[in-house]
Amino acid sequence: MIGLIDRLSRPLLRALDPEDAHALAIKALRYMPLAKAAADADELAVRAFGLKFPNPVGLAAGFDKNAQVPDALLRLGFGFVEVGTITPRPQAGNPKPRLFRLDADHGVINRLGFNNDGAAVVHMRLARRRNAGGIVGVNIGANRDSTDRIEDYVRLIETFAAVASYFTVNVSSPNTPGLRELQQAKALDELLARVLDAREQVRARAGLTPVLLKIAPDLTLADLDDVVGVARRRRVDGMIVGNTTIARPGSLREGEMAREQGGLSGRPVFSLSTRVLAETFVRAENAFPLIGAGGIDSGATAIAKIKAGATLLQLYTGLVFRGIGLVTEIKDDLTAALKRGYRNSLASMIGSDAAAITADSWPA
Ligand SMILES: Cc1cc2nc3c(=O)[nH]c(=O)nc-3n(C[C@H](O)[C@H](O)[C@H](O)COP(=O)(O)O)c2cc1C
């Protein structure tokens, strides 16, 4: 049923302004009665950060920014859902238009700028579903006009620790001026020290919530040395590689649209983010697991991410072009690949191509 509605509604959604289409999709998920997805095959289960994921296919941050529909999304078959980015105070984001579809490239450019309902409202929603089960991570960021950005992250950890399955510290959005400077070694070290200290402070009442760091695919390898070094020394629980890119690959066909400012996602960011994932994997040396994101839109691209070093996956833009059936397609392709080899274990696939990828020439 959902597949049929999905097939029928996609041309309609595509005809709409992208932001209106997104609002309509959220509304449909809120009101449509959804049966629970079929149980996942045992071999798709993943243990990471002390959590057990029924399957490795997650929804990336930015789709359900305000935690309006995490349970509907879990019922559609995602192994986990990340809500946010949430900032302490609500904010409107950048002026519209600020979301652009590059149809010929299967890409999206967004400069939304952390539009969200703010911590109080989102916390209320998550507290209401607290006992519903399922893995719902909370992606946190700083208000654009904040005078103390690190303090924003600390407050969000305190607010959400009891209702978040895990946290993602987002220092990689290109749409909040200066935010990505928090990826520089000294600033990142201070940020992580204070975030992890805040987590420790609330541990007695909230438990030990895993903290992941989400980076941009635009870091240089020298920057990446620093970032992974700091993440390891501070003992973060994992990293997400990565966010949207400010780069514009020469291969883009939607030339005019490509000039829009903002972060590019989808198929055009696949090669770069997969390379940076592999580079992160060889630097992390299994100190923590990685989530691979950027351009996953098929079983083959999902498998490529795992072989580059991802223990778990996240996608967003692929849904825009392929529809919700993509999630089941990826899970089926993973199960089939496991049956063909890899001792029927996802774990043996993780990072198997990382060394080869990092030896290759840099993606154009
Ligand atoms: C419209 C849109 C909004 C996004 N908003 C956020 C966000 O609020 N926080 C964040 O960490 N990433 C955000 N992202 C980035 C995604 O989570 C993901 O890292 C990136 O799009 C690469 O994956 P994809 O190619 O599958 O979309 C957003 C992406 C898109 C397309």
Side-chain angles (χ1 to χ4, degrees):
M1 183 63 183
I2 182 75
L4 181 67
I5 294 171
D6 189 42
R7 267 198 305 284
L8 293 175
S9 61
R10 249 182 302 141
L12 168 73
L13 288 174
R14 290 264 212 100
L16 292 176
D17 162 79
E19 210 164 328
D20 292 342
H22 177 256
L24 197 62
I26 295 277
K27 204 167 262 174
L29 289 168
R30 263 179 87 173
Y31 296 112
M32 208 156 34
L34 291 170
K36 209 170 171 314
D40 291 311
D42 287 345
E43 60 269 25
L44 289 184
V46 176
R47 279 181 195 281
F49 332 119
L51 300 172
K52 187 176 176 197
F53 297 75
N55 73 71
V57 186
L59 179 66
F63 181 82
D64 190 9
K65 280 182 185 270
N66 295 309
Q68 290 169 288
V69 290
D71 296 297
L73 291 160
L74 289 169
R75 278 197 293 277
L76 290 176
F78 283 108
F80 61 112
V81 170
E82 188 167 311
V83 301
T85 295
I86 298 155
T87 57
R89 283 171 291 111
Q91 63 181 29
N94 289 319
K96 294 179 186 176
R98 54 191 182 173
L99 184 57
F100 308 90
R101 236 179 11 233
L102 283 65
D103 284 328
D105 302 302
H106 282 213
V108 162
I109 291 176
N110 93 80
R111 52 168 179 272
L112 295 170
F114 290 170
N115 53 316
N116 77 107
D117 292 343
V121 168
V122 175
H123 178 265
M124 200 179 59
R125 289 188 189 127
L126 290 177
R128 235 186 270 139
R129 68 154 312 275
R130 189 177 181 170
N131 298 317
I135 296 178
V136 178
V138 176
N139 181 305
I140 57 175
N143 276 113
R144 183 187 174 104
D145 61 358
S146 169
T147 51
D148 185 346
R149 286 189 163 161
I150 291 182
E151 183 61 25
D152 280 14
Y153 290 89
V154 166
R155 280 175 50 197
L156 290 161
I157 295 278
E158 292 166 355
T159 303
F160 285 99
V163 298
S165 303
Y166 68 86
F167 282 110
T168 295
V169 174
N170 178 13
V171 287
S172 46
S173 166
N175 302 314
T176 296
L179 189 85
R180 287 174 306 156
E181 284 160 26
L182 286 171
Q183 294 175 113
Q184 287 164 10
K186 191 163 167 289
L188 183 64
D189 190 56
E190 190 191 341
L191 171 67
L192 291 179
R194 291 195 47 203
V195 158
L196 294 169
D197 182 57
R199 170 179 73 165
E200 199 56 41
Q201 296 300 321
V202 297
R203 182 178 184 168
R205 70 167 166 82
L208 194 67
T209 315
V211 170
L212 319 183
L213 177 70
K214 183 170 180 179
I215 63 169
D218 301 317
L219 294 175
T220 65
L221 291 182
D223 289 339
L224 192 64
D225 288 342
D226 287 348
V227 167
V228 177
V230 172
R232 289 182 64 168
R233 274 197 304 283
R234 288 292 171 193
R235 297 177 180 274
V236 302
D237 297 282
M239 286 176 61
I240 303 182
V241 189
N243 216 310
T244 57
T245 180
I246 56 169
R248 295 291 181 266
S251 56
L252 288 176
R253 291 159 65 192
E254 301 270 9
E256 196 154 316
M257 202 76 97
R259 281 197 288 276
E260 292 290 349
Q261 257 196 31
L264 172 66
S265 58
R267 199 175 280 175
V269 77
F270 176 78
S271 310
L272 177 65
S273 61
T274 304
R275 174 62 180 257
V276 177
L277 173 66
E279 298 283 355
T280 305
F281 181 80
V282 299
R283 286 163 175 75
E285 296 174 307
N286 292 315
F288 42 66
L290 306 177
I291 300 182
I296 297 174
D297 63 357
S298 61
T301 48
I303 290 168
K305 286 283 188 205
I306 296 171
K307 290 182 177 176
T311 295
L312 293 160
L313 307 168
Q314 284 183 333
L315 57 89
Y316 179 167
T317 305
L319 287 180
V320 174
F321 295 96
R322 300 288 326 283
I324 194 64
L326 176 60
V327 179
T328 306
E329 180 187 316
I330 291 174
K331 291 194 290 187
D332 289 348
D333 285 1
L334 280 176
T335 309
L338 289 178
K339 287 218 166 72
R340 281 196 306 271
Y342 297 98
R343 303 189 295 276
N344 214 18
S345 137
L346 275 174
S348 59
M349 202 187 274
I350 298 167
S352 60
D353 283 352
I357 292 171
T358 56
D360 217 341
S361 56
W362 197 259

